[in-house]
Amino acid sequence: MKIQHIRNATMIVESGDRKILVDPMMSKKGVYPTFTLLRFRPRKNPVVDLPDNAKESFRGITDCLVTHKHPDHIDKVAEAFLIENNIPVVCSELDEELFKKKGLLVSQTIKYWQKSEYLGGSITGIPARHGYGFIAKPMGNVTGFYIELPNEPSLYLSSDTIYTPEVKKALDELKPDITVVASGTAQLDIGQPLLMRIDDIVKFIRNSPGKAIANHLEAVNHCPTSRQQLKEILSKEGLLNKTWIPDDGDALEFD
């Protein structure tokens, strides 16, 4: 399995002849409004452009997974790309109606804790909670994915979530070989963080059975945690060696 980090939560997972695009945010730098005005410096989003190799990386995409409807996980450019190339999209059953109205080819919908066939293997929906306290409700529904493909390491995409009993259950019972954690500690001008606080990121990585990938960093203006800050924290916790913190465009092979 080859995993390439593109930007924010956007990834490409390659297995055999399948090339799976995850949470595509494909817009140029600065086309969306700032997500915060007061708590963090207002900047239009995304705050960085796509990496130089992104255009080539997007060639030959065969499938798409979308964890939720927010524009930093599927934007208008990505929607047009998916429609133009007739790429099948897998999403939560909670987002099916919206995505179909947009013209996306929704080929399969996923329910929480229900295992379904997927590309010769299986996919299971994992509950996610997009924020601590009251802020989670207006942030809406989010789904993580646990994926098992033939002759490949298992993969848990936890998506935009805090550390919940359901996340712990996925780590403890499914025992994924690779985990992905959104690590930017995003926060709006009101409310608590929308993603895991640093202590919960550490807990997630420590409890991950295998290699962890930290993404959702340095791409949108309401995510204050930097790659360097995370590296320093994980180094102190003795967890840096089991964590991949990729730069935009980086790829890694997993056995």
Side-chain angles (χ1 to χ4, degrees):
M1 178 181 286
K2 177 182 175 181
I3 296 179
Q4 182 181 11
H5 170 73
I6 302 296
R7 179 183 60 184
N8 199 49
T10 306
M11 306 168 61
I12 296 174
V13 179
E14 294 187 54
S15 175
D17 62 352
R18 314 304 298 196
K19 197 171 182 182
I20 307 165
L21 179 62
V22 179
D23 281 352
M25 180 178 64
M26 301 171 71
S27 299
K28 293 181 180 180
K29 176 182 176 181
V31 300
Y32 289 104
T34 184
F35 292 150
T36 62
L37 290 170
L38 303 173
R39 183 165 264 152
F40 307 115
R41 180 165 70 93
R43 290 183 290 169
K44 290 186 175 181
N45 290 294
V47 299
V48 294
D49 237 324
L50 288 166
D52 292 340
N53 60 356
K55 185 175 181 179
E56 180 60 32
S57 298
F58 291 144
R59 297 184 192 277
I61 294 294
T62 60
D63 305 272
C64 180
L65 288 171
V66 181
T67 61
H68 62 299
K69 63 185 180 182
H70 289 169
D72 61 331
H73 290 259
I74 180 167
D75 60 13
K76 293 184 183 301
V77 175
E79 290 169 4
F81 172 83
L82 295 169
I83 292 168
E84 180 181 351
N85 292 281
N86 204 38
I87 294 170
V89 174
V90 174
C91 64
S92 164
E93 63 173 347
L94 304 171
D95 291 326
E96 178 182 12
E97 183 178 355
L98 173 65
F99 289 163
K100 283 185 174 179
K101 283 183 178 179
K102 289 175 175 286
L104 298 176
L105 176 61
V106 177
S107 60
Q108 186 175 355
T109 59
I110 305 302
K111 297 180 180 180
Y112 292 149
W113 297 120
Q114 180 173 302
K115 187 174 184 177
S116 306
E117 292 185 4
Y118 182 64
L119 303 182
S122 66
I123 185 169
T124 303
I126 309 298
R129 182 176 174 83
H130 202 336
Y132 298 89
F134 78 88
I135 199 69
K137 187 172 183 179
M139 293 305 293
N141 302 304
V142 185
T143 297
F145 297 115
Y146 174 68
I147 304 165
E148 296 176 289
L149 298 176
N151 304 311
E152 297 283 17
S154 57
L155 174 64
Y156 172 31
L157 305 169
S158 64
S159 185
D160 283 11
T161 188
I162 62 173
Y163 196 93
T164 65
E166 290 80 10
V167 170
K168 185 178 187 301
K169 178 180 176 180
L171 295 174
D172 291 348
E173 297 184 12
L174 300 177
K175 301 187 183 304
D177 298 309
I178 306 166
T179 60
V180 181
V181 56
S183 303
T185 54
Q187 199 164 0
L188 300 177
D189 285 331
I190 59 170
Q192 299 184 64
L194 310 175
L195 304 175
M196 292 184 203
R197 299 188 184 97
I198 292 296
D199 59 334
D200 280 339
I201 295 171
V202 169
K203 187 189 302 183
F204 180 99
I205 293 171
R206 181 173 286 120
N207 291 339
S208 293
K211 193 79 171 181
I213 302 172
N215 69 0
H216 217 308
L217 292 160
E218 300 181 28
V220 283
N221 87 296
H222 64 325
C223 285
T225 302
S226 70
R227 290 178 172 90
Q228 185 58 38
Q229 288 172 327
L230 187 60
K231 286 176 182 177
E232 291 173 1
I233 291 165
L234 294 180
S235 179
K236 290 178 182 178
E237 296 289 338
L239 295 171
L240 189 57
N241 286 340
K242 73 178 294 189
T243 311
W244 182 41
I245 308 174
D247 290 326
D248 292 351
D250 285 355
L252 193 64
E253 297 274 355
F254 293 86
D255 298 323

